[in-house]
Amino acid sequence: MKPFVCMRNALLCCAVSTSLLLCSCDGGHSGTAEFSPKLDASFSVRAEMSYGEDNTAELLLTRYEEDHWDAAFETPSSLAGVVLTIEDEAVGANYKGLSFTVPKSALPAKAMLLLITDVLAELTDEETLPATANEDNTWTVSGETEAGSYTVTFLADGTLAGFSMPNQPLTVVLSDYKALSEPGSTTTASDSTGSDCTTTTTSVAAST
């Protein structure tokens, strides 16, 4: 009878091992699910960008309506006070009531902002997105654009927390998300100074 007992024990061990293996494999897929982002039609969010070889910038990014964004820079010093306005495919700049062509110092930041706003505009139209749950209670949404692959990070409440596009390279920390309750009545940073203070001079662009 001893050989039979040994065989039975061996079979039981195999069964238990197989069950544990199956449970382990199933558990690896539990982090992916449908996620509902909180992306209002009109909102503002603070952004800390790191891009290119050694560039950084801090700004307030505001979406007023579809294809209309403002980026109000706080740093670096060469861009402090400059507001880039994105409307459809056009990008303009405003500084203390003066509107002008985008200065050379802002061109790298402008390129990165267009990548960010294009992706966020696409995600805003989606009620749910396939996302991966992270151990720190955040969610990540990944995708592809012509400029490369991207990852958008959301907090558990659905608000924006980060954006990255490794091949640029571009990394953005997002915080202080706020929905604009009345997007139609909100005054943009570029509009608040009045439309009669418009000029296009090299000296103004250089001063930024």
Side-chain angles (χ1 to χ4, degrees), residues 79 82-85 91-93 100-108 110 205 208:
L79 293 177
V82 172
V83 178
L84 294 186
T85 297
V91 181
F100 49 91
T101 55
V102 178
K104 185 177 179 180
S105 60
L107 292 178
K110 165 195 164 183
T208 60

Side-chain angles (χ1 to χ4, degrees), residues 129-142:
L129 296 165
T132 301
N134 304 308
E135 293 182 357
D136 61 356
N137 207 30
T138 62
W139 291 77
T140 53
V141 174
S142 300

Side-chain angles (χ1 to χ4, degrees), residues 72-83:
F73 285 86
E74 298 173 2
T75 65
S77 58
S78 60
L79 293 177
V82 172
V83 178

